């Protein structure tokens, strides 16, 4: 099939390149000239394992190209909207990019003669596709959804760091569709996948995505709270999580206590769900607590440090800035709260991350950035481990320095864990 993707970010690029890998012809529309320039030179503007090789291969085979002009989507049969849906200050999702992409696509559909399907892949709060995107598409195209063009909602469950594998081998594919024809068109793209295909309404698909993220975030905040209680009792929460995780009803994943979750999805999706529930007069007590635990949790590592040394004027090494390993993404990373608090308390902050330094430096120019974990550790009064990059697991780099481990990656002589 000839597929167009709006937005060449994490989701758009992975979706596009995986569809190319499956043999489809993909056109990616991006409106950031720097990203277009970089992609045309074969450089991926994000770090994601394996993706650069796929880009060069499919550009060479003529199966993947990047354009700026949305009118190019006229040459395709289906368009995936993969633009960002960040949080507003009040927690609601900001639909600015999605609405503007829908205006562009609708404008192009006005000129299109044949059938076309528009698929929302961005994460949105339930009812957004039906109540916001469909009316925009109809207005800007002058056509009727369900009759002249199709609409579907196909949420993405990939994880940064293992995005290609996740896209190609998902636990399930969820397809919400306005009508049968739209659903059939999207389903045909996934016909070789050997996983359950869940076919539902547009709003149900939207809710499956945000409820999944809210559940995973809840699991993390839950184990962090249990971890804090364990720490006060001298119990190692990691053993507790192991013992719990063998229970099939619970499962071992997302039970790693630490300094909290970050990234572009969990915090904003939970906030968006809370804002929508409140708008409907509901009181989402549990979801609010999930976020509250997550705001306080990174400060625990500072509290533990302060119990050991006076922070003002000390050199503190921070290992790990990205919100998780194998990505350069620092959106909502707990490192931002931790580094901000260290600087506020007068520390001299030295930091290392294998991939995220360039992104972090833009927001924290006053930090001293080092090229290796070993260099970062040298000359520090204490070390905080904030992201579980594998290279931080080598105990020899720390020598006798105080290490406060926020992720459970290492064990050294002078050591304290955040929840153990
Ligand atoms: P991103 O910010 O990395 O990428 C979005 C891209 O869209 C940017 O490159 C931006 O320049 C481009 N863009 C915005 N408006 C455009 C327009 N009108 N025309 C062309 N390009 C435009 O975002 P992302 O991380 O890829 O996330 C996209 C969506 O997918 C979000 O809703 C997110 O919640 C969801 N999601 C993200 C992940 C993830 O791990 N990143 C996983 C699942 C779902």
């Amino acid at each position: 099939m000839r597929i167009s993707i709006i937005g060449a970010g994490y989701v758009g690029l992975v979706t596009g390149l995986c569809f190319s890998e499956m043999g489809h012809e993909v056109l990616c529309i991006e409106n950031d000239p720097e990203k277009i320039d970089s992609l045309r030179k074969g450089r991926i503007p994000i770090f994601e394992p394996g993706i650069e090789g796929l880009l060069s291969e499919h550009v060479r085979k003529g199966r993947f190209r990047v354009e700026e002009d949305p009118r190019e989507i006229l040459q395709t049969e289906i368009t995936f909207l993969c633009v960002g849906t960040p949080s507003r200050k009040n927690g609601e999702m900001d639909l600015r990019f999605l609405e503007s992409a829908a205006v562009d696509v609708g404008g192009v559909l006005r000129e299109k003669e044949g059938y076309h399907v528009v698929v929302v892949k961005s994460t949105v709060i339930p009812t957004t596709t039906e109540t916001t995107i469909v009316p925009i598409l109809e207005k800007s195209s002058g056509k009727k959804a369900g009759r002249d063009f199709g609409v579907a909602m196909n949420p993405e469950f990939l994880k940064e760091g293992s995005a290609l594998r996740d896209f190609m081998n998902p636990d399930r594919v969820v397809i919400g569709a306005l009508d049968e024809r739209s659903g059939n068109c999207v389903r045909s793209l996934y016909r070789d996948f050997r996983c359950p295909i869940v076919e539902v309404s547009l709003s149900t698909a939207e809710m499956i995505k945000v409820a999944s993220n809210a559940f995973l975030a809840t699991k993390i905040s839950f184990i962090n709270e249990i971890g804090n209680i364990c720490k006060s009792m001298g119990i190692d929460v990691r053993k507790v999580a192991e013992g719990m995780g063998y229970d099939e009803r619970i499962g071992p994943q997302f039970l790693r206590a630490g300094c909290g979750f970050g990234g572009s999805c969990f915090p904003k999706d939970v906030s968006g769900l809370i804002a929508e529930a409140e708008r409907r007069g509901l009181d989402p007590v549990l979801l609010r607590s999930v976020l509250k635990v997550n705001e306080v949790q990174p400060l625990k590592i500072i509290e533990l440090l302060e119990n050991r040394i006076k922070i003002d004027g000390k050199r503190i090494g921070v290992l790990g800035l990205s919100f998780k390993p194998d990505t350069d993404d620092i959106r909502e990373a707990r490192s931002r709260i931790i580094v901000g608090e260290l600087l506020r308390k007068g520390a001299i902050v030295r930091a290392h991350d294998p991939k995220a330094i360039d992104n972090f430096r833009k927001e924290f120019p006053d930090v001293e950035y080092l090229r290796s974990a070993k260099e970062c550790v040298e000359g520090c009064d204490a070390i905080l481990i904030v992201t579980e990059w594998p290279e931080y697991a080598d105990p020899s780099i720390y020598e006798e320095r105080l290490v406060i481990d926020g992720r459970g990656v290492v064990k050294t002589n002078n050591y304290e864990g955040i929840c153990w």
Side-chain angles (χ1 to χ4, degrees):
M1 209 182 284
R2 283 170 304 167
I3 300 171
S4 46
I5 308 270
I6 312 285
Y10 286 88
V11 170
L13 280 175
V14 171
T15 302
L17 288 166
C18 287
F19 280 140
S20 297
E21 182 75 1
M22 287 150 67
H24 300 288
E25 203 180 300
V26 176
L27 160 73
C28 213
I29 306 287
E30 171 58 56
N31 64 3
D32 176 343
E34 260 181 53
K35 277 195 183 172
I36 298 175
D37 187 49
S38 159
L39 287 163
R40 285 195 176 143
K41 288 179 178 143
R43 284 200 304 267
I44 294 273
I46 52 169
F47 172 75
E48 180 62 43
I51 200 171
E52 210 144 86
L54 274 191
L55 177 72
S56 54
E57 179 187 340
H58 292 300
V59 167
R60 188 168 31 84
K61 288 181 177 162
R63 282 205 210 133
F64 185 89
R65 68 193 165 95
V66 186
E67 297 292 345
E68 189 165 10
D69 186 353
R71 283 211 316 271
E72 296 273 337
I73 68 175
L74 271 177
Q75 304 162 26
T76 65
E77 293 138 75
I78 184 165
T79 302
F80 283 80
L81 305 181
C82 301
V83 298
T85 46
S87 271
R88 287 183 203 276
K89 278 212 170 70
N90 65 2
E92 282 174 12
M93 269 188 200
D94 183 347
L95 297 178
R96 215 168 355 142
F97 304 115
L98 194 59
E99 288 171 358
S100 142
V103 169
D104 289 348
V105 173
V108 177
L109 291 187
R110 189 175 275 276
E111 295 169 39
K112 176 141 186 183
E113 301 207 336
Y115 184 70
H116 196 97
V117 179
V118 182
V119 187
V120 175
K121 208 174 212 348
S122 302
T123 304
V124 289
I125 291 303
T127 80
T128 300
T129 303
E130 200 163 345
T131 59
T132 306
I133 304 307
V134 168
I136 292 176
L137 288 169
E138 288 186 328
K139 186 164 176 231
S140 50
S141 66
K143 294 183 174 176
K144 180 91 188 102
R147 185 190 66 199
D148 306 320
F149 64 92
V151 177
M153 200 284 147
N154 172 219
E156 183 48 55
F157 296 94
L158 64 80
K159 299 181 287 302
E160 287 176 26
S162 55
L164 297 176
R165 195 178 59 225
D166 293 345
F167 188 96
M168 295 304 250
N169 306 285
D171 295 329
R172 78 306 209 182
V173 168
V174 174
I175 301 171
L178 181 70
D179 57 1
E180 207 179 328
R181 191 174 176 193
S182 314
N184 288 346
C185 179
V186 178
R187 188 163 18 84
S188 70
L189 287 172
Y190 293 104
R191 71 175 157 241
D192 295 332
F193 281 43
R194 275 191 264 129
C195 67
I197 307 274
V198 183
E199 293 183 81
V200 288
S201 69
L202 294 169
S203 300
T204 306
E206 293 165 331
M207 186 54 110
I208 290 172
K209 173 63 191 175
V210 286
S212 299
N213 276 356
F215 181 74
L216 295 173
T218 304
K219 243 182 139 179
I220 298 172
S221 280
F222 173 84
I223 200 65
N224 284 340
E225 182 144 56
I226 296 291
N228 296 338
I229 301 171
C230 282
K231 174 98 181 162
S232 77
M233 294 173 160
I235 298 168
D236 186 338
V237 70
R238 295 171 298 181
K239 280 283 158 206
V240 175
E242 185 190 344
M244 288 170 65
Y246 289 121
D247 187 326
E248 280 186 6
R249 296 166 302 175
I250 298 173
Q253 298 203 37
F254 288 79
L255 279 188
R256 281 184 70 140
C259 40
F261 58 80
S264 65
C265 294
F266 288 2
K268 90 164 159 72
D269 294 353
V270 179
S271 303
L273 200 49
I274 292 171
E276 180 63 19
E278 286 172 345
R279 206 179 63 79
R280 289 171 182 269
L282 301 169
D283 185 15
V285 184
L286 176 63
L287 295 178
R288 266 203 300 268
S289 304
V290 167
L291 289 191
K292 196 163 174 201
V293 171
N294 199 50
E295 287 311 308
V296 177
Q297 198 64 14
L299 301 176
K300 294 272 170 208
I301 205 167
I302 305 278
E303 218 177 283
L304 293 171
L305 179 64
E306 268 182 324
N307 291 343
R308 301 288 206 99
I309 61 171
K310 191 168 167 294
I311 293 177
D312 191 14
K314 296 286 182 343
R315 293 160 78 89
I316 310 296
V318 174
L319 294 184
L321 301 170
S322 57
F323 84 93
K324 66 173 182 179
D326 277 330
T327 178
D328 61 353
D329 196 342
I330 60 158
R331 289 179 281 186
E332 296 284 338
R334 299 299 87 181
S335 58
R336 304 161 75 115
I337 298 179
I338 292 167
V339 169
E341 195 61 8
L342 287 173
L343 292 171
R344 203 180 62 76
K345 287 180 180 281
I348 300 153
V349 181
R350 292 160 65 82
H352 172 263
D353 188 286
K355 297 289 170 198
I357 287 179
D358 289 347
N359 287 340
F360 209 81
R361 198 197 303 269
K362 288 178 202 151
E363 288 178 49
F364 291 89
D366 296 335
V367 169
E368 193 184 342
Y369 297 94
L370 287 307
R371 276 175 311 173
S372 74
K374 196 166 167 34
E375 275 178 71
C376 178
V377 165
E378 276 163 13
C380 280
D381 296 292
I383 312 299
L384 306 182
I385 303 179
V386 179
T387 312
E388 61 273 38
W389 285 97
E391 60 208 88
Y392 304 152
D394 174 4
S396 73
I397 58 178
Y398 303 100
E399 296 171 354
E400 292 304 311
R401 287 184 190 84
L402 170 62
V403 174
I404 306 198
D405 185 355
R407 299 292 179 189
V409 295
V410 73
K411 179 81 186 87
T412 66
N413 290 336
N414 190 3
Y415 177 90
E416 181 149 0
I418 187 166
C419 294
W420 48 90

